[in-house]
Protein backbone atom coordinates (compact mmCIF):
# COMPACT_ATOMS: atom_id res chain seq x y z
CA UNK A 1 0.00 0.00 0.00
CA UNK A 2 1.43 3.35 -1.05
CA UNK A 3 1.94 6.20 1.43
CA UNK A 4 2.36 9.91 0.73
CA UNK A 5 3.62 12.45 3.23
CA UNK A 6 1.57 15.65 3.39
CA UNK A 7 3.28 18.51 5.25
CA UNK A 8 1.19 21.61 5.96
CA UNK A 9 3.21 24.84 6.02
CA UNK A 10 0.57 27.44 5.21
CA UNK A 11 -0.26 29.13 8.51
CA UNK A 12 -0.36 32.80 9.48
CA UNK A 13 2.51 32.55 11.99
CA UNK A 14 0.59 35.10 14.08
CA UNK A 15 1.53 33.88 17.57
CA UNK A 16 5.23 33.70 16.73
CA UNK A 17 5.19 37.16 15.11
CA UNK A 18 3.48 38.60 18.19
CA UNK A 19 6.18 37.09 20.42
CA UNK A 20 8.97 38.37 18.16
CA UNK A 21 7.50 41.89 18.23
CA UNK A 22 7.20 41.81 22.03
CA UNK A 23 10.85 40.70 22.32
CA UNK A 24 12.01 43.26 19.76
CA UNK A 25 13.71 40.61 17.63
CA UNK A 26 13.76 40.10 13.88
CA UNK A 27 10.44 39.08 12.38
CA UNK A 28 10.89 35.68 10.79
CA UNK A 29 8.48 32.91 9.93
CA UNK A 30 8.89 30.16 12.51
CA UNK A 31 9.41 27.58 9.78
CA UNK A 32 12.62 29.20 8.57
CA UNK A 33 14.12 29.69 12.03
CA UNK A 34 17.36 27.73 12.50
CA UNK A 35 17.13 24.24 13.97
CA UNK A 36 20.13 21.94 14.23
CA UNK A 37 22.07 22.46 10.99
CA UNK A 38 19.10 23.59 8.88
CA UNK A 39 15.73 25.24 9.44
CA UNK A 40 12.61 24.04 11.26
CA UNK A 41 10.79 23.10 8.05
CA UNK A 42 13.83 21.49 6.42
CA UNK A 43 14.36 19.26 9.44
CA UNK A 44 10.69 18.23 9.35
CA UNK A 45 10.94 17.46 5.62
CA UNK A 46 14.19 15.50 6.05
CA UNK A 47 12.74 13.37 8.84
CA UNK A 48 9.67 12.65 6.72
CA UNK A 49 11.64 11.83 3.58
CA UNK A 50 13.71 9.34 5.58
CA UNK A 51 10.56 7.47 6.62
CA UNK A 52 8.96 4.64 4.66
CA UNK A 53 6.97 6.87 2.31
CA UNK A 54 6.65 7.04 -1.46
CA UNK A 55 6.48 10.80 -1.98
CA UNK A 56 6.24 14.11 -0.17
CA UNK A 57 3.94 17.09 -0.73
CA UNK A 58 4.38 20.41 1.09
CA UNK A 59 1.40 22.77 1.20
CA UNK A 60 2.25 26.48 1.35
CA UNK A 61 0.04 29.53 1.82
CA UNK A 62 0.85 32.53 4.01
CA UNK A 63 4.52 33.53 3.64
CA UNK A 64 4.94 31.08 0.76
CA UNK A 65 7.54 33.29 -0.94
CA UNK A 66 9.62 33.59 2.23
CA UNK A 67 9.58 29.84 2.78
CA UNK A 68 10.21 28.93 -0.86
CA UNK A 69 13.16 31.30 -1.05
CA UNK A 70 14.84 29.42 1.77
CA UNK A 71 14.09 25.81 0.90
CA UNK A 72 12.72 25.12 -2.56
CA UNK A 73 16.01 24.70 -4.39
CA UNK A 74 17.10 22.11 -1.84
CA UNK A 75 14.06 19.91 -2.49
CA UNK A 76 13.13 20.50 -6.12
CA UNK A 77 13.77 16.83 -6.98
CA UNK A 78 12.23 15.23 -3.88
CA UNK A 79 9.25 17.37 -2.83
CA UNK A 80 6.15 18.64 -4.62
CA UNK A 81 5.19 22.14 -3.48
CA UNK A 82 1.63 23.40 -3.85
CA UNK A 83 0.16 26.75 -2.78
CA UNK A 84 -3.31 27.29 -1.36
CA UNK A 85 -5.54 29.48 -3.50
CA UNK A 86 -7.04 31.39 -1.78
CA UNK A 87 -4.34 31.66 0.87
CA UNK A 88 -6.46 32.55 3.89
CA UNK A 89 -7.96 29.15 4.71
CA UNK A 90 -8.09 26.79 7.67
CA UNK A 91 -5.80 23.86 8.32
CA UNK A 92 -8.41 21.43 7.02
CA UNK A 93 -8.27 23.08 3.59
CA UNK A 94 -4.47 22.94 3.48
CA UNK A 95 -4.53 19.26 4.32
CA UNK A 96 -7.26 18.56 1.76
CA UNK A 97 -5.30 20.36 -0.96
CA UNK A 98 -2.23 18.28 -0.18
CA UNK A 99 -4.17 15.03 -0.20
CA UNK A 100 -5.84 15.97 -3.49
CA UNK A 101 -2.41 16.24 -5.11
CA UNK A 102 -1.42 12.72 -4.07
CA UNK A 103 -2.54 9.39 -5.49
CA UNK A 104 -1.50 7.12 -2.62
CA UNK A 105 -3.60 4.73 -0.56
CA UNK A 106 -2.54 6.28 2.77
CA UNK A 107 -1.17 9.59 3.99
CA UNK A 108 1.28 10.50 6.72
CA UNK A 109 0.00 13.95 7.73
CA UNK A 110 2.46 16.31 9.42
CA UNK A 111 2.66 19.99 10.30
CA UNK A 112 5.89 21.69 9.27
CA UNK A 113 6.54 22.99 12.80
CA UNK A 114 7.26 19.49 14.14
CA UNK A 115 11.03 19.13 13.52
CA UNK A 116 11.47 17.16 16.73
CA UNK A 117 9.35 14.24 15.54
CA UNK A 118 11.83 11.56 14.49
CA UNK A 119 11.83 9.31 11.46
CA UNK A 120 11.48 6.39 13.89
CA UNK A 121 8.21 7.79 15.19
CA UNK A 122 6.90 8.43 11.68
CA UNK A 123 7.72 4.81 10.83
CA UNK A 124 5.98 3.64 14.01
CA UNK A 125 2.85 5.51 12.93
CA UNK A 126 3.01 3.90 9.49
CA UNK A 127 3.65 0.42 10.86
CA UNK A 128 0.81 0.73 13.38
CA UNK A 129 -1.56 1.73 10.59
CA UNK A 130 -0.53 -1.00 8.18
CA UNK A 131 -0.51 -3.79 10.79
CA UNK A 132 -3.93 -2.91 12.19
CA UNK A 133 -6.84 -5.26 11.70
CA UNK A 134 -8.48 -2.84 9.27
CA UNK A 135 -6.09 -0.12 8.04
CA UNK A 136 -8.88 1.62 6.12
CA UNK A 137 -10.77 2.13 9.38
CA UNK A 138 -7.79 3.12 11.52
CA UNK A 139 -6.07 6.37 12.42
CA UNK A 140 -2.63 5.89 13.96
CA UNK A 141 -1.68 9.11 15.71
CA UNK A 142 1.01 10.51 17.96
CA UNK A 143 -0.49 10.22 21.40
CA UNK A 144 -1.22 13.21 23.61
CA UNK A 145 -2.51 11.29 26.61
CA UNK A 146 -2.95 7.54 26.37
CA UNK A 147 -1.24 5.05 24.08
CA UNK A 148 -2.88 2.08 22.36
CA UNK A 149 -6.54 2.06 21.40
CA UNK A 150 -8.00 5.44 22.38
CA UNK A 151 -11.39 6.21 23.87
CA UNK A 152 -11.49 9.81 22.64
CA UNK A 153 -10.05 12.05 19.92
CA UNK A 154 -9.98 15.09 22.21
CA UNK A 155 -6.75 17.05 22.00
CA UNK A 156 -5.34 15.09 19.07
CA UNK A 157 -3.68 16.51 15.97
CA UNK A 158 -0.85 15.78 13.60
CA UNK A 159 1.18 13.75 12.94
CA UNK A 160 -1.02 10.80 12.04
CA UNK A 161 -1.52 8.19 9.32
CA UNK A 162 -4.92 7.78 7.70
CA UNK A 163 -6.50 6.27 4.57
CA UNK A 164 -6.22 9.13 2.09
CA UNK A 165 -9.57 9.02 0.29
CA UNK A 166 -11.54 8.38 3.48
CA UNK A 167 -9.87 11.35 5.14
CA UNK A 168 -10.59 13.58 2.14
CA UNK A 169 -14.31 12.88 2.48
CA UNK A 170 -14.25 14.36 5.99
CA UNK A 171 -12.13 17.35 4.99
CA UNK A 172 -14.05 18.28 1.85
CA UNK A 173 -16.08 21.47 2.22
CA UNK A 174 -14.65 22.07 5.71
CA UNK A 175 -12.68 25.16 6.68
CA UNK A 176 -11.67 24.49 10.24
CA UNK A 177 -8.96 23.36 12.59
CA UNK A 178 -8.20 19.67 12.51
CA UNK A 179 -9.37 18.41 15.90
CA UNK A 180 -13.14 18.89 15.33
CA UNK A 181 -12.78 16.80 12.17
CA UNK A 182 -10.84 14.07 13.98
CA UNK A 183 -13.63 13.97 16.56
CA UNK A 184 -16.17 13.42 13.75
CA UNK A 185 -14.07 10.58 12.37
CA UNK A 186 -13.82 9.03 15.82
CA UNK A 187 -17.59 9.34 16.34
CA UNK A 188 -18.13 7.42 13.09
CA UNK A 189 -16.40 4.39 14.56
CA UNK A 190 -12.82 4.61 13.33
CA UNK A 191 -10.22 3.02 15.58
CA UNK A 192 -7.74 5.58 16.89
CA UNK A 193 -4.44 4.14 18.04
CA UNK A 194 -2.12 6.36 20.06
CA UNK A 195 1.57 5.84 19.32
CA UNK A 196 4.07 6.75 22.03
CA UNK A 197 6.64 9.44 21.33
CA UNK A 198 10.36 8.66 21.30
CA UNK A 199 11.03 11.61 23.60
CA UNK A 200 8.98 14.41 25.15
CA UNK A 201 10.13 17.04 22.64
CA UNK A 202 8.24 15.18 19.92
CA UNK A 203 5.02 16.43 21.53
CA UNK A 204 5.95 20.11 21.11
CA UNK A 205 4.40 22.24 18.38
CA UNK A 206 6.24 25.50 17.82
CA UNK A 207 3.59 28.19 18.13
CA UNK A 208 5.36 30.58 20.53
CA UNK A 209 8.95 31.73 20.77
CA UNK A 210 9.45 30.03 24.15
CA UNK A 211 8.44 26.71 22.57
CA UNK A 212 11.04 27.30 19.88
CA UNK A 213 13.69 27.97 22.52
CA UNK A 214 12.68 24.83 24.43
CA UNK A 215 13.43 22.53 21.49
CA UNK A 216 16.88 24.05 21.09
CA UNK A 217 18.04 22.95 24.56
Amino acid sequence: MSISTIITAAGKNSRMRKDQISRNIELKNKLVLPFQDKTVIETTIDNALSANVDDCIVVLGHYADEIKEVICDNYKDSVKFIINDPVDVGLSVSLFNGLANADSDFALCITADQPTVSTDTFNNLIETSQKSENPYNTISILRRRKTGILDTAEGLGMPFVAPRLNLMKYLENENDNLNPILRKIFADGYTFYGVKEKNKKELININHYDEYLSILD
Side-chain angles (χ1 to χ4, degrees):
M1 292 181 279
S2 56
I3 300 178
S4 295
T5 297
I6 311 297
I7 300 177
T8 58
K12 293 181 179 179
N13 196 51
S14 54
R15 287 171 286 189
M16 181 64 75
R17 286 178 64 86
K18 185 177 179 181
D19 286 353
Q20 289 169 333
I21 291 168
S22 71
R23 292 169 183 256
N24 196 29
I25 58 179
E26 181 184 2
L27 286 177
K28 231 179 187 183
N29 188 284
K30 64 182 178 179
L31 300 181
V32 299
L33 291 172
F35 182 74
Q36 297 177 353
D37 297 327
K38 294 192 175 182
T39 62
V40 167
I41 186 172
E42 287 175 303
T43 306
T44 302
I45 292 171
D46 289 348
N47 290 343
L49 287 173
S50 297
N52 298 323
V53 298
D54 298 293
D55 61 343
C56 180
I57 295 169
V58 173
V59 184
L60 301 172
H62 293 280
Y63 305 101
D65 290 342
E66 181 181 353
I67 295 169
K68 286 173 70 177
E69 183 180 348
V70 172
I71 71 167
C72 269
D73 285 348
N74 299 335
Y75 296 98
K76 59 187 177 183
D77 297 324
S78 56
V79 172
K80 180 178 182 180
F81 291 93
I82 65 168
I83 300 178
N84 289 334
D85 183 16
V87 168
D88 196 15
V89 293
L91 179 57
S92 63
V93 177
S94 293
L95 188 53
F96 180 88
N97 289 343
L99 294 165
N101 278 273
D103 58 8
S104 56
D105 301 308
F106 290 83
L108 169 63
C109 303
I110 307 168
T111 63
D113 63 354
Q114 295 179 312
T116 54
V117 182
S118 64
T119 297
D120 286 345
T121 295
F122 290 145
N123 282 335
N124 285 342
L125 290 168
I126 293 167
E127 185 177 350
T128 298
S129 162
Q130 303 306 285
K131 288 188 173 180
S132 65
E133 188 173 323
N134 183 357
Y136 287 94
N137 198 58
T138 298
I139 308 288
S140 67
I141 194 161
L142 182 62
R143 70 104 188 185
R144 292 304 188 272
R145 299 166 190 160
K146 296 179 180 178
T147 59
I149 295 177
L150 303 179
D151 55 9
T152 179
E154 295 290 335
L156 296 176
M158 292 191 268
F160 64 85
V161 174
R164 184 179 68 88
L165 292 177
N166 293 13
L167 179 58
M168 287 180 67
K169 291 175 185 176
Y170 284 94
L171 294 169
E172 193 169 15
N173 300 319
E174 295 284 352
N175 188 8
D176 202 349
N177 289 324
L178 189 59
N179 185 256
I181 296 165
L182 290 174
R183 294 203 305 267
K184 288 179 186 177
I185 297 171
F186 183 87
D188 280 350
Y190 279 71
T191 297
F192 276 61
Y193 196 98
V195 172
K196 185 173 173 57
E197 72 282 2
K198 193 171 182 180
N199 62 70
K200 295 299 182 184
K201 287 187 179 180
E202 291 194 323
L203 301 178
I204 298 174
N205 287 71
I206 307 168
N207 293 313
H208 295 280
Y209 199 77
D210 281 339
E211 290 161 340
Y212 169 65
L213 294 177
S214 74
I215 68 168
L216 299 179
D217 293 340

